[in-house]
Each structure stands twice: as structure tokens, then as C-alpha cells.
Amino acid sequence: MQRSSVLAQRSSLSGLAGAARGRAWATSRRPLATSAGKDDISLSTVEGYKVARLGDTGVAPSTGSITVAIKAGSRYESEPGIAHVFKNMVFKNTTKRSALRIVRETELYGGVLTASLNRDSLFLTAEFLKGDEAYFTELLGDVITASTFQAFEYIENVVPQIAAEYAQAVADPLVFGFDNLHQLAFRKGLGNSLFASPNTPVDHIDAVAYARKHLSNPAEIAIVAAGVDGSFEQLVSESFAPTSAAPPSASSDIKSAGGSAYFGGESRVPQTHSEQDLLLVGFQGGSLSSPEWQVLQHLLGGDSALKWTNGITPLASASSVLAASTPTLGHGAGVKAFNLQYSDNGLFGFAVSAPTDQVRGLAQKAIDALKDASKSVKAEDLKRAVAKAKFHAALALESRISRLEIVASQIQANGSASSLEQTFAALDKVTASQVQKAATAALKSKPSAVAYGNTHELPFVDELSL
């Protein structure tokens, strides 16, 4: 996921790299298969928008947050990069406010505005002191219903922003690698890049048409808030009333886009100045309704539960052997499983970051571990993997922004949000047989692979014993 701070008027590199690293080296930073937690969730429909108000989970918060999720992620874009452009067009001039006024008023209230994009949705978020929700609800409503998308803003602000974010993305092997891996795996839809390339510039008129199409359809927008009082729904009704009727075909057009058929393929990116090479190998995974893939990820693992100690999972053990044999090894080296699940498909695999001469061996150990999982899963290993999957499901809800985005995404996909207890129950029901079948299904699919570094020496995927 990529995230931009409006107040700073710049992209956050940590948002770009952090999302990719979170997905690659542990679990998805925002796994939609997790849940809304133990919150009391008030669901309603206001002016055609799906609205959710989350209750407090413990001590009454001193801050509030509102996230508006628009079903306009990269999988739905009408031309390459247009979703990325859309992300950078928001929080600019509206019919009521200038972009400068938005920044100054937000600072006056001590708030923070951010825009973030993933393959499913564009998220607009306001964070503020509790009690200021009336202003920020009205501000978000103004942005959604009355943005002007003027040409001079596009030239002076939007184009430089997307160029800077693209440069940051291609400079980070993990961000670039996972974006490329999705393109190989899915081609279109889920395979669309998160970034607008300067090689395929987006016309301002096309970008405005794309933005207005998605903003004018309340049925494809979810509004989720935490730390607000019971009058929030009334505030939404007053602030988000559509200025015009949604196009009759908007909903069907959006739903018919963003296909996710899996294909597979291989890409090699020469890079001579990297201290460690990167090899990403992915297979067709499972959708969000398949918790066994989360368990399989943690069965293979890659991380130790305690710093400076050797992990006991197959991939953690392989990384520990590498660390012991290479004292000067850089931070983050090793092999770790990843699991990226979407509403209708998934991408499962492993990432190897290591010196060139170590990559092949680690990749083969990862494949061997996946093969072993397809044959048998010990009861003790299954219990450990389930517990780890539960922990990461709960951990994803510790951040309020992550929690709001999880709930918004679930509402958009299913019309409701599941509880943490429901997620735990689903994970508890995962059997060894289901995990074995998931591993077998992965191995039967055509692999997707990205090699980044010394491609003259890095293995091709068909050179590994699959």
C-alpha cells in the first residue's frame, strides 16, 4: 500500500516500503481476513453510503478517526496508473475550500489527513482530537462531493507527486518486486501496478472522469469512524449528501472490472549495486474466505519469536543457518513466507534476500518445505501455526487506521464486518488436511518469480526442483 500525508504535501516512503515489507516478511499489513476486533459496530446506510461506527475497545480515546474507503483501487483502473493519480488528486481545491485552506484548518484543529491506495480501495482518513468530528466529517464530505480537480493543480502538484512516489517505489527492491510479481501473476485487475509510470502518462481529463465516476456512486463507498459520538450518522447525512445522481451504470461497471485470473510468469531485473539479491517466488493462493492459507504461511514461517535466536519453523531454520555461516550478513537477510489474500484470489509464496551465492539454496529449501507441507503436517506444528495466525490477525487491529481500513474493506466486500472471535473460530477449524491441500494447490500452479540483482547468477525458477 502507498500512503501520502496531505499536511506535509509529500509521499511517505515508509508507507510505500513498509507495506511491501509487511506483506513480504510477515503477514499482510492489512489482511482483510482479520476482523473488526471486539468493538461494538453500528452499521447503517446513510444517503446511500455504508456507514460504520466503532465502539471503544477499552479506555475512552482522546482522539477520533474517520476513514472513507472508495472502491477505486488499482484493480479497477481504466488505464495504467490512473488510480495512483486519483490518490494524489484528493484533498485539493473544492467548491468551498482551497487546498491551502484545507491544510491550514486541519493544522488549526491539530488533525492529520492521509490518502492511501491498495489494489482494492482508495482510503481517505482524518485523525483528530475527540470532539472535532463535526468539522472533519464535513471536510471529508466536501472532498468527496465537491472536489474541482483543476488543471493547474494537476500540473503543479499532482504530476510531481506521482513522479516522486514512482521514483521511490522503483528504488526499493521489495516495493518494486511485489508490484512486478502481481503483474506477472494476474496481468490485469489485481495485476495492475499501484504506481503511475512516467512512460504511460495519464491525461488530466481522463483522470477527472475516473475520479468523478467513483466519487459519484455512494454504493461503492464505505465510511467508518472510531472515537466519535452517536450523532455521527447525522453528520454524514448533512455532509455527504450527493450533489448529483450516480450514473446508472457506475455500480455495474465497477463490479465487472478488476478481474483476478491467475497466470504466472517470470521477470529478471539486473542490479549491480545491491548488497543482497532478491528472489520472489509466488504461486496461486487462496481468497479471503480460506483461512488455511494464513496457517500455511505461519507453518513455513521465517521469523523467530525472540530476537537473536533461531526460529523453529522450516524457513526460520534455513535463515539461521545462513546467518551462522555469513557473519557480515545484512539486516533482513533470509527467506520468509508471504500470503496476500484478496476477495477472489490470492498470491502465496516466499521471498529470499541474501548474497547471490546463497539465494538458490534458500529458495530450494523453501520449496522443499512447501513440498513437505503438502505431504504431512504434524499436530504440534499445526497448533503453533494457528496460534501465530491468530496473533497476527489480532495485531493488525492494534493500529486504529489499520482497524478502520479492515472494517471498511470488509463492509465493501461483504456488507458486514466479522468479529475477532469469528476469525479465531475459523482459524481453529483449520485442519492438517486443509493445509496440505493448500500447499498441494500452490505447487500445482504455474509459479510467478521476480529476480532482482545479479541476474547472471540468480536461478531461473525452472532450475529449482518444484
Short mmCIF file of all heavy atoms in Angstrom, two decimals, residues 199-230:
data_model
loop_
_atom_site.label_atom_id
_atom_site.label_comp_id
_atom_site.label_asym_id
_atom_site.label_seq_id
_atom_site.Cartn_x
_atom_site.Cartn_y
_atom_site.Cartn_z
N ASN A 199 6.31 6.60 -18.19
CA ASN A 199 6.29 6.09 -19.55
C ASN A 199 4.87 6.00 -20.12
O ASN A 199 4.69 5.90 -21.33
CB ASN A 199 6.93 4.70 -19.60
CG ASN A 199 8.39 4.71 -19.18
OD1 ASN A 199 9.12 5.63 -19.53
ND2 ASN A 199 8.81 3.71 -18.42
N THR A 200 3.88 6.02 -19.23
CA THR A 200 2.48 6.00 -19.67
C THR A 200 1.71 7.09 -18.94
O THR A 200 0.93 6.80 -18.02
CB THR A 200 1.83 4.62 -19.40
OG1 THR A 200 2.00 4.31 -18.00
CG2 THR A 200 2.45 3.54 -20.25
N PRO A 201 1.95 8.35 -19.27
CA PRO A 201 1.29 9.46 -18.55
C PRO A 201 -0.22 9.41 -18.68
O PRO A 201 -0.77 8.97 -19.69
CB PRO A 201 1.88 10.70 -19.24
CG PRO A 201 2.34 10.23 -20.58
CD PRO A 201 2.78 8.81 -20.38
N VAL A 202 -0.88 9.88 -17.63
CA VAL A 202 -2.34 9.90 -17.57
C VAL A 202 -2.84 11.30 -17.89
O VAL A 202 -2.37 12.28 -17.30
CB VAL A 202 -2.84 9.46 -16.19
CG1 VAL A 202 -4.36 9.55 -16.10
CG2 VAL A 202 -2.36 8.05 -15.87
N ASP A 203 -3.75 11.40 -18.81
CA ASP A 203 -4.32 12.69 -19.19
C ASP A 203 -5.22 13.23 -18.08
O ASP A 203 -5.97 12.46 -17.45
CB ASP A 203 -5.11 12.55 -20.49
CG ASP A 203 -5.67 13.87 -20.98
OD1 ASP A 203 -4.90 14.67 -21.52
OD2 ASP A 203 -6.89 14.09 -20.79
N HIS A 204 -5.17 14.54 -17.86
CA HIS A 204 -5.95 15.15 -16.80
C HIS A 204 -7.45 14.91 -16.97
O HIS A 204 -8.16 14.58 -16.01
CB HIS A 204 -5.67 16.66 -16.76
CG HIS A 204 -6.57 17.42 -15.84
ND1 HIS A 204 -7.54 18.30 -16.29
CD2 HIS A 204 -6.69 17.40 -14.49
CE1 HIS A 204 -8.19 18.81 -15.25
NE2 HIS A 204 -7.69 18.28 -14.16
N ILE A 205 -7.94 15.03 -18.19
CA ILE A 205 -9.37 14.84 -18.44
C ILE A 205 -9.80 13.42 -18.09
O ILE A 205 -10.85 13.19 -17.48
CB ILE A 205 -9.71 15.17 -19.91
CG1 ILE A 205 -9.46 16.66 -20.19
CG2 ILE A 205 -11.15 14.79 -20.23
CD1 ILE A 205 -9.68 17.07 -21.62
N ASP A 206 -8.97 12.45 -18.47
CA ASP A 206 -9.29 11.05 -18.15
C ASP A 206 -9.27 10.82 -16.64
O ASP A 206 -10.11 10.08 -16.10
CB ASP A 206 -8.28 10.12 -18.82
CG ASP A 206 -8.38 10.13 -20.33
OD1 ASP A 206 -9.45 10.52 -20.85
OD2 ASP A 206 -7.39 9.76 -21.00
N ALA A 207 -8.31 11.42 -15.95
CA ALA A 207 -8.20 11.26 -14.50
C ALA A 207 -9.42 11.84 -13.80
O ALA A 207 -9.94 11.25 -12.84
CB ALA A 207 -6.93 11.92 -14.00
N VAL A 208 -9.88 13.00 -14.25
CA VAL A 208 -11.06 13.62 -13.65
C VAL A 208 -12.29 12.76 -13.87
O VAL A 208 -13.11 12.56 -12.96
CB VAL A 208 -11.27 15.04 -14.22
CG1 VAL A 208 -12.61 15.61 -13.76
CG2 VAL A 208 -10.13 15.96 -13.81
N ALA A 209 -12.43 12.20 -15.07
CA ALA A 209 -13.58 11.35 -15.36
C ALA A 209 -13.57 10.11 -14.47
O ALA A 209 -14.62 9.68 -13.95
CB ALA A 209 -13.56 10.94 -16.84
N TYR A 210 -12.39 9.53 -14.27
CA TYR A 210 -12.26 8.35 -13.40
C TYR A 210 -12.64 8.69 -11.97
O TYR A 210 -13.39 7.97 -11.31
CB TYR A 210 -10.82 7.84 -13.47
CG TYR A 210 -10.53 6.63 -12.61
CD1 TYR A 210 -10.82 5.35 -13.07
CD2 TYR A 210 -9.96 6.77 -11.35
CE1 TYR A 210 -10.54 4.23 -12.30
CE2 TYR A 210 -9.69 5.65 -10.57
CZ TYR A 210 -9.97 4.39 -11.05
OH TYR A 210 -9.70 3.28 -10.26
N ALA A 211 -12.13 9.83 -11.49
CA ALA A 211 -12.42 10.26 -10.12
C ALA A 211 -13.91 10.51 -9.92
O ALA A 211 -14.52 10.05 -8.94
CB ALA A 211 -11.62 11.50 -9.78
N ARG A 212 -14.52 11.22 -10.83
CA ARG A 212 -15.94 11.56 -10.67
C ARG A 212 -16.82 10.31 -10.76
O ARG A 212 -17.84 10.19 -10.07
CB ARG A 212 -16.35 12.58 -11.73
CG ARG A 212 -15.67 13.92 -11.58
CD ARG A 212 -16.45 15.05 -12.21
NE ARG A 212 -15.72 16.32 -12.17
CZ ARG A 212 -15.56 17.06 -11.08
NH1 ARG A 212 -16.08 16.65 -9.93
NH2 ARG A 212 -14.90 18.20 -11.14
N LYS A 213 -16.44 9.36 -11.59
CA LYS A 213 -17.21 8.11 -11.71
C LYS A 213 -17.26 7.40 -10.35
O LYS A 213 -18.31 6.92 -9.92
CB LYS A 213 -16.57 7.22 -12.76
CG LYS A 213 -17.14 5.80 -12.80
CD LYS A 213 -16.37 4.94 -13.78
CE LYS A 213 -16.83 3.49 -13.73
NZ LYS A 213 -16.09 2.62 -14.66
N HIS A 214 -16.12 7.32 -9.67
CA HIS A 214 -16.06 6.58 -8.42
C HIS A 214 -16.61 7.38 -7.23
O HIS A 214 -17.16 6.80 -6.30
CB HIS A 214 -14.63 6.13 -8.14
CG HIS A 214 -14.16 5.04 -9.06
ND1 HIS A 214 -14.40 3.71 -8.80
CD2 HIS A 214 -13.49 5.09 -10.24
CE1 HIS A 214 -13.89 2.98 -9.78
NE2 HIS A 214 -13.33 3.78 -10.66
N LEU A 215 -16.48 8.69 -7.28
CA LEU A 215 -16.98 9.51 -6.18
C LEU A 215 -18.49 9.71 -6.24
O LEU A 215 -19.11 10.04 -5.23
CB LEU A 215 -16.28 10.87 -6.18
CG LEU A 215 -14.78 10.87 -5.86
CD1 LEU A 215 -14.22 12.28 -5.98
CD2 LEU A 215 -14.53 10.32 -4.46
N SER A 216 -19.07 9.52 -7.41
CA SER A 216 -20.49 9.79 -7.58
C SER A 216 -21.37 8.59 -7.28
O SER A 216 -22.59 8.65 -7.45
CB SER A 216 -20.77 10.27 -9.01
OG SER A 216 -20.47 9.24 -9.95
N ASN A 217 -20.78 7.50 -6.84
CA ASN A 217 -21.55 6.28 -6.57
C ASN A 217 -21.46 5.90 -5.10
O ASN A 217 -20.57 5.15 -4.70
CB ASN A 217 -21.04 5.15 -7.45
CG ASN A 217 -21.95 3.92 -7.38
OD1 ASN A 217 -23.02 3.96 -6.78
ND2 ASN A 217 -21.52 2.85 -8.00
N PRO A 218 -22.36 6.39 -4.25
CA PRO A 218 -22.30 6.10 -2.80
C PRO A 218 -22.30 4.62 -2.47
O PRO A 218 -21.73 4.21 -1.45
CB PRO A 218 -23.56 6.80 -2.27
CG PRO A 218 -23.85 7.87 -3.25
CD PRO A 218 -23.47 7.30 -4.58
N ALA A 219 -22.90 3.80 -3.31
CA ALA A 219 -22.98 2.37 -3.02
C ALA A 219 -21.61 1.72 -2.99
O ALA A 219 -21.44 0.64 -2.42
CB ALA A 219 -23.87 1.67 -4.05
N GLU A 220 -20.62 2.34 -3.61
CA GLU A 220 -19.27 1.78 -3.65
C GLU A 220 -18.35 2.46 -2.64
O GLU A 220 -17.13 2.32 -2.72
CB GLU A 220 -18.69 1.92 -5.07
CG GLU A 220 -19.49 1.22 -6.14
CD GLU A 220 -19.46 -0.30 -6.01
OE1 GLU A 220 -18.61 -0.80 -5.25
OE2 GLU A 220 -20.29 -0.97 -6.64
N ILE A 221 -18.93 3.20 -1.69
CA ILE A 221 -18.13 3.93 -0.71
C ILE A 221 -18.56 3.53 0.70
O ILE A 221 -19.75 3.46 1.00
CB ILE A 221 -18.29 5.45 -0.89
CG1 ILE A 221 -17.77 5.88 -2.26
CG2 ILE A 221 -17.57 6.22 0.22
CD1 ILE A 221 -17.98 7.35 -2.59
N ALA A 222 -17.57 3.26 1.56
CA ALA A 222 -17.84 2.95 2.97
C ALA A 222 -17.20 4.03 3.84
O ALA A 222 -16.08 4.47 3.56
CB ALA A 222 -17.28 1.58 3.32
N ILE A 223 -17.90 4.44 4.88
CA ILE A 223 -17.41 5.46 5.81
C ILE A 223 -17.38 4.83 7.19
O ILE A 223 -18.40 4.40 7.72
CB ILE A 223 -18.32 6.70 5.80
CG1 ILE A 223 -18.48 7.25 4.39
CG2 ILE A 223 -17.75 7.78 6.74
CD1 ILE A 223 -19.55 8.33 4.26
N VAL A 224 -16.18 4.76 7.78
CA VAL A 224 -16.00 4.10 9.08
C VAL A 224 -15.34 5.07 10.04
O VAL A 224 -14.37 5.76 9.69
CB VAL A 224 -15.13 2.83 8.95
CG1 VAL A 224 -15.00 2.13 10.29
CG2 VAL A 224 -15.72 1.89 7.90
N ALA A 225 -15.84 5.13 11.27
CA ALA A 225 -15.32 6.08 12.25
C ALA A 225 -15.11 5.40 13.59
O ALA A 225 -15.81 4.45 13.96
CB ALA A 225 -16.27 7.27 12.42
N ALA A 226 -14.14 5.91 14.35
CA ALA A 226 -13.88 5.46 15.71
C ALA A 226 -13.60 6.69 16.56
O ALA A 226 -13.05 7.68 16.08
CB ALA A 226 -12.70 4.50 15.76
N GLY A 227 -14.01 6.63 17.83
CA GLY A 227 -13.79 7.77 18.71
C GLY A 227 -14.72 8.93 18.45
O GLY A 227 -14.39 10.08 18.73
N VAL A 228 -15.91 8.64 17.88
CA VAL A 228 -16.91 9.68 17.63
C VAL A 228 -18.17 9.33 18.41
O VAL A 228 -18.37 8.20 18.85
CB VAL A 228 -17.21 9.80 16.12
CG1 VAL A 228 -15.97 10.17 15.35
CG2 VAL A 228 -17.82 8.50 15.58
N ASP A 229 -19.06 10.31 18.57
CA ASP A 229 -20.26 10.07 19.36
C ASP A 229 -21.42 9.57 18.49
O ASP A 229 -21.28 9.39 17.28
CB ASP A 229 -20.66 11.32 20.14
CG ASP A 229 -21.00 12.50 19.25
OD1 ASP A 229 -21.45 12.28 18.11
OD2 ASP A 229 -20.81 13.66 19.69
N GLY A 230 -22.56 9.39 19.11
CA GLY A 230 -23.70 8.80 18.44
C GLY A 230 -24.35 9.64 17.38
O GLY A 230 -25.23 9.17 16.66
#
